[in-house]
Each structure stands twice: as C-alpha cells, then as structure tokens.
Amino acid sequence: MLTNRRQVIQSATVATGLAMTGNVADSARADARQATPSIDTLRIAMSGLPTQLDPQTDTFIVMIRIYNMVYDTLIQRDWANGGGLIPGLATSWTQVDETTLELTLREGVVFQDGSPFTANDVKFTFDRTLEGNARLAATGRYGLAEVQVVDDLTVRMITDGPRGTLLSLIADLGSEIVPATYFQQVGYEAFQRMPIGTGPYRVTEFIPDTRITLTAHTDYWGGAPAVSNVEIRPIPEVSTRVAALINGEIDMAMDLPPDQIPTVEEDGRFAVSTVSPLNINILAIVGTKPPVDRREVRQALNISIDRQSIVEQLFGGLAVWPTGLQSTLDPLYIERPQIPYDPDGARRLLETAGYAGEEIRLAYDSPNYYPLEQEWTEVIVAGWADVGLNVTMSPLELSQREAITAEDDWGLYTTSMGNIADVDLPLVVASATAEYQILHTPGQFDELNAIVAQAQQTVDEAQRRDLTRQALEFLEDFTMVLPLFTINRNTASLATISFQETPLFGIDLRPGRFTVTN
Amino acid sequence: MGSIGKIVIPRLGRAIVTLWLVVTVVFVVLRFSGDPVSLLLPSDASQQQVQALRVELGLDESIPVQYGRFILEVVKGDLGESLRFNQPALDLVLDRFPATALLALVAFTVAAVVGLGVGSLTAFARGSVLDRAAIALMGILQSAPSFFLGIMLILLFSVELGWFPTSGYGSPSQLVLPALTLSALTLASIARITRTSLLDVLRADYIRTARSKGLPERLIWSRHALRNAALPLTTTLGLELAELLAGAVIVETVFAWPGIGRLAIDSVAARDYPVVQAAVLLIATIFVIINLLVDLSYLALDPRTRNG
C-alpha cells in the first residue's frame, strides 16, 4: 500500500512542477475575462480541501461536498420536495419483517472504473461498519446484525432488533457505496486519496491543500454530467475568494458570509444561491449547577434571545428562526409555534426563581466556527443583560469544547447539531453509550432516553412521529437545549450556472440538478 | 580547520539540546490542551469506539509513556502518521516545504536586495529628504499587517489591473503578490538595520582615521564601512531568512499558498499531534542550521573570531 501512496504523491509533485513551467493560470484567467459561455472545467473555490475521501471515515463539510460528486447512496432524499426518501442505487425497498429490510438494486450501474455495481458492494460497504474499526465514523451506526446478498441485485439488511431509523440512516452520510473489488485492490490508504464510486464525477488528481480535479463519469446511471471537468481549490480567506471570482479565476465561490453578498451581486455577472442546511446552532446548558439548575432561569435565557432581529439584521434574512430542533425538511416534521421573544416574561421568571445576578459562563468557539459567531454571541449576551442575566463570554477552542463535561464550571456553551429527528435526537440525550452527547447530565433524562430509544426501535412511521413529538416536547419543557437559528449556506457563481448546495452540504452536479446555459 | 571544528562541535551539541527542548515543549503543551479523538469521531460515537481509537492511536497511555515512545520513534526517524491525512507526518510536511521554500527565498531575495540598497542609500544620504521619505515608507511597511497589505495588493494588481492572479500555487505569476507581501516586513527591517549599522560604523574612530589620512570616500565605504557593518547584518539576514522559511500563516492563508505555516496551524486546531511535531522539528532544524551558518560566516568576516 505504501508504494501506491508514494506514487500518488510523486505524480502530484510532477504535475505541480509542470504547471510551474507553463503559464497555465495566466491563460485560464484570460479566457475567463472574456466570459466564455461554455464551461469545460468548472472551477469551484471553497474554504478548505478535504484531507481524505473515504465517506465512511469522516464526515466533515468539505469532504461531504466531494462525496456527493463521487458516490451515491442506496436511498436519496428529495430536497426539492420536502426531503422525502427517493430511489438512489436501490430502486425499491420493503420491510420483510421487523428486522429485515430488502432492497432491490438498480440494474446496469457501473463504477467509474467501468466495473459493475452489485449487491456485493452493498454488503462490503455496510460490513465495514461492523468490523469495529474505531477510525470509521460509520462504525456501529446502523444496528445491523448482518447483510445478506440474495442475488446480484437483491440485498437484505438484518438488524439486531426493530430499527425504525434504518432508512433515514441509509440515506444519510456515511452510507455512500464504496466498490468492494477496487477498495480491496488498492487498500484503505490509497482509497482515501484516489477513490472511485458510482457518482457523476471521478477524482483524477488530489493534491492536499492545493487542488482536487474530477472528471465526468460519462456512463453515470443518471445521465452524462453537464460539465466535463471540475477543479476544486481551497481559498481560505473570504476576501481572496471573492476577488478570485470577480477576477475570473474561478466560476463558483462557496462559503460566502452574508456581508460579502452585496459585493458579489453589485458586479452583475454572478448569481448567489442560498440554502438552509440540516444544521441548527444551539446553546446547551452544561450540568445542573446553580443558577442554571433552576428551570425558570433556563426559560428566561431562552425567551430573552431576540432571534428574529439577529436573523433579519445580522444575517440579512439569510437564516431561519426555527420552531424547535427540527428542520422543515425532516420527514417527521411536526408543526410547532416559533419560540417567543418575551423580555418581560423573562424578568418575571427570574424574579420567581429568586435569581440574584449570579454569573453564568458561556463558552463559545474561538476562532469562530460559524460566520458572525462573535457578533451574534455579543448580541445575545447584551439582550440577556437587559433582563438582568449576568452572562460572561469565554472563548474556547473547538478541540476543547468537545471535552466539556458536567463537572466543568460552564453554564452554557454554543454548539450545533443536525435537525432530522431520526438521525439527530439520539445525540442530544445523556445516554450511557454516546461519548460526546450534547447534554452532559447523565441520569437527568431517563424519560427522554426511553422515548428516543423507543423511537429508534419503532418501524411504524405514525408511532415514530408521535414519539418524536414527545421527545421534542420534553426537551422544550426541560429547556436544556436552546435552539438559536439555522444559518443559510451561500454560494456565488457565474449567472449562467444554475447550482444549489444541498441541505446536507453536498455539491450535487447530477443532471437535472445542475445546468449551465450558454 | 581546527577553528571550524572548535566552533561547530559545541554548537552541534547545543543544537541537539535546542531541538530536544522545542520538541518536548510542543509535545507537552499539545497534549494538555485538547483532544484529537473528539474531533475525529462524530458526536454519536460510542464510548467503546472512542476508547478503541485512543488505544489505536496510543493515547490511552500516560503522557510520560507516550513521550518515551515518541522520543524513541524520533530517534529512529519516525515521526508518526497524521491523524487526519492517514499519511506519514514527515512526508506531509516535506511535501509542503518546496512551496514554503520558494516563497521564502523569493521574498528574502527581494527584501535583501531592496533592503540593503535602501539602507545604504539612506545612510549615505542621511538627513536628506530621500532619507526621511524612505524611513517613513519603511515604517509603513513594517507596521502594515500582512493580511491588510495582501488584500490591498490583490485589489490593486488582480481586481483593478488584472496583472496577477489573486491566489493559488503553480505558476510564476501566482508567486508575485504573496512574495511581495511577505517581503515587506523583512525588507523594512533589513533597510533599518543596514542604515543604523552603517551610521554606527561611520561614526567609529577607524573611519575618522581613514578620512584624516585622506583615503578616498569610495574606499572608506568599501574597505571599512560596509565590511564592519556586515557583522550585525549577517545575523539579521540569517534570522529573517529562518523566519521566512518557518512558513507564513497569514500570507499563506490570504493567497491560498499551500505552505508549512497553514498545515501547521490547521494541524494544531485539529490536534493532529504528529504533523505539528514534524513541522516544529523541521522549522527548529532550519533555525539551528541557519544560526550555525551565520556563526561560520563570522569566521570569514571577522578575523578576531578565528583566534578565539
């Protein structure tokens, strides 16, 4: 395996060396300045490049984007129509009994090396999660007991008990199908750098921190992609990314904070697409030490946040003020009223609680992880001060935030979570098995744990929806997780390109979801 | 030869102690300030999985045991695998080194040539309008933050004039703006040191003596002034070069330049211990080597050191 990896590095070095001798960038820029209508290579810049590309190993945003181009899942989500489940590499599925899901696979699908996709690849992909490999994010995720190959195009997933959330998980991250034969040929480490999948684009060059080049998979089962090549470049600094777009060096700039949108729109050649992702920023209460041990204090914190003003003024409307911990794209979405802004109510609650200005420490990410995080945190803290809540801001590095425990002297910390109930509610609770749950107070939530565990084991959708409602009501009542808002993800691209990042952070260049007009 | 040996051998010993100290400090600080496992695994990872990964990465051992193992591996030349890239840490750092070295050497050359020139010129014409204007300009270059300078250069030379690309790595035109930005601070400090050193030397007794015995001004400069001013300058130039070679996080970030600085900072944020350690070890080694070269150059420049 080592030789393979070295070859990749060597060829990458050679490629760079060649580019140094020619005026590649110069001529590319000159072309773009003339605004050539047809695009042969789509050049996308984002804030960073992935460090590896095995979809089951890590699920960082920059990686997910590329996974979406390289791989397919068995079941997809129909983002344009409410987020329901639609066929992907599987054309149909039936629940044979409470613990058996049978999937019929799409015929005639080939991987990017031309080899056919069969049930063996499905078995290989999900078997990887059963090997106990600690490095894989997908390990142990599905509650699977066994994956059975019935024939080339039929596969059965046997779970260790009833698993109502299995379909959601199969459509989620970490469930992209990897090719059994190719993977075993090249090995894990080489696959992380030069993967293949059944998706619309194949990785043909991967130079860490410099660029990833992808080439169209012309035999893609969904039809040939609209653009022959895609080049992904990391431009970490936002101002540079925008300048590169205006200068014609790139066709698309992702990770655009709201304050940069006017600059891009003023130019006239670009369109900005915006999407509300499956992610919600939250404030979590740490532990049950005074004064946040009193529910009235927690409720006062919750209703004295002016979410609407933050969404409208700070984010220019490019954020969503949610009704709870659920996205409207959740198939189990339950309509609820928006969280009120009621400073007077908060003052009354604090009086009832006998709160006398005790300090509450709020840990937030430094350096900021989300756009405008410092600003919104300051606005929230100022609003709290207005109603008499004494909250102090303490910056905390990301690698330390994850290790916050109930014993720490924090009152609150900022974090974020997914907002599809089936997939994400199990993360909230202080269960015995999850290490980095959002709430750090084991024993406080036995009732919630029981509801969520039951939902995971319920196959019937109506029952699962009811259990989800109970869980959300419990959380709201207990007020240990304060939903803030969902911040839109913005991408600027040439106006001739019709593109939208998926709510799950993917770059979806599949025919029909991405077009270039000439 | 003997004198070179006398200089090199004790310094080599000191160099190894320096490297050991640097690596040890980095090792300890990183391990007391964050957890890579929590960043590598998703939030729904089970306790067993977290524990298994700790064992796999050797993070379940006590810090003294981890440290002992680490030093043993380093002595054997193995700096471990990156936790994020799943590749040997040293390879990753060495892969970035050409980009860093290219940028550093070009920036250093610009800074040295222009800095020495401006410094000598202003010393020669001290008190003049030219001198005062140059000092003011150097002050601006020295105090302008490099992200500001970098973005201003991008706006002017890329967006307005369209002469150079904004960012990236690969073609010579992509090198211009980051190299200019990076050279600014170094250029200014070299110019200042050159001017000050020359002025110091010009006030010295031996210059007065040379003048009084009627030596032509040209010879005073070349034989006495520049040669004696070269000593403090060599030290400054050496340190500036080493600093540039250590990678420039801000310039690399602004211009999307794939150098060591960005790799190191990203690795610190992710607590990718092996990569941080490899990067720091490489940077410390560069400092030690350049210091050694500076010391050796004294032998050539200053006859007094040859007898010491």
Side-chain angles (χ1 to χ4, degrees), chain B residues 155-227:
Chain B
L155 287 181
L156 178 62
F157 290 108
S158 302
V159 177
E160 285 304 316
L161 298 171
W163 291 357
F164 305 108
T166 57
S167 56
Y169 171 64
S171 77
S173 61
Q174 283 167 315
L175 178 60
V176 177
L177 297 185
L180 278 181
T181 309
L182 189 58
S183 68
L185 180 62
T186 312
L187 186 159
S189 44
I190 290 177
R192 276 167 175 270
I193 300 275
T194 308
R195 183 176 179 279
T196 318
S197 314
L198 276 173
L199 288 181
D200 278 351
V201 169
L202 288 175
R203 274 195 290 269
D205 292 343
Y206 53 83
I207 298 285
R208 214 180 312 141
T209 313
R211 282 225 174 87
S212 61
K213 72 181 181 190
L215 207 65
E217 196 71 358
R218 188 176 47 84
L219 284 182
I220 293 178
W221 274 82
S222 61
R223 200 174 290 171
H224 295 289
L226 286 174
R227 189 146 189 175

Side-chain angles (χ1 to χ4, degrees), chain A residues 261-466:
Chain A
I261 291 177
T263 316
V264 173
E265 282 179 338
E266 247 168 51
D267 185 274
R269 287 174 296 165
F270 309 105
V272 175
S273 76
T274 182
V275 67
S276 183
L278 295 179
N279 183 277
I280 180 166
N281 292 89
I282 57 174
L283 288 167
I285 311 275
V286 186
T288 46
K289 286 188 186 147
V292 292
D293 59 333
R294 277 161 284 178
R295 183 160 62 172
E296 290 85 358
V297 174
R298 304 197 296 264
Q299 284 170 334
L301 283 164
N302 193 31
I303 62 172
S304 52
I305 299 171
D306 191 353
R307 295 170 176 83
Q308 190 175 9
S309 293
I310 294 174
V311 165
E312 284 171 6
Q313 284 158 33
L314 209 53
F315 290 104
L318 296 174
V320 176
W321 167 32
T323 59
L325 291 173
Q326 236 185 346
S327 162
T328 49
L329 287 172
D330 187 340
L332 297 180
Y333 179 68
I334 296 153
E335 186 92 50
R336 306 164 72 77
Q338 277 183 314
I339 305 162
Y341 172 55
D342 182 6
D344 289 332
R347 286 188 194 98
R348 283 194 297 275
L349 281 165
L350 291 176
E351 206 171 310
T352 316
Y355 173 76
E358 298 98 314
E359 187 191 22
I360 303 170
R361 287 176 71 208
L362 163 67
Y364 70 102
D365 302 330
S366 179
N368 285 184
Y369 188 70
Y370 284 93
L372 306 175
E373 188 170 348
Q374 176 83 24
E375 286 83 350
W376 93 54
T377 311
E378 281 168 8
V379 170
I380 290 175
V381 170
W384 281 334
D386 274 353
V387 299
L389 281 157
N390 173 21
V391 181
T392 50
M393 290 169 64
S394 308
L396 195 68
E397 232 184 310
L398 211 57
S399 66
Q400 295 172 314
R401 185 186 76 184
E402 296 279 358
I404 287 176
T405 67
E407 288 84 53
D408 289 335
D409 203 18
W410 301 104
L412 285 160
Y413 74 105
T414 64
T415 183
S416 63
M417 58 180 283
N419 49 7
I420 293 287
D422 273 358
V423 177
D424 300 304
L425 276 187
L427 306 189
V428 180
V429 293
S431 73
T433 55
E435 174 83 358
Y436 297 113
Q437 67 280 25
I438 302 229
L439 295 175
H440 301 269
T441 40
Q444 288 276 313
F445 301 100
D446 291 346
E447 191 189 336
L448 179 64
N449 282 336
I451 299 170
V452 172
Q454 203 189 334
Q456 281 180 290
Q457 287 157 20
T458 301
V459 177
D460 181 82
E461 193 177 313
Q463 279 178 35
R464 212 164 66 240
R465 184 190 301 269
D466 191 52

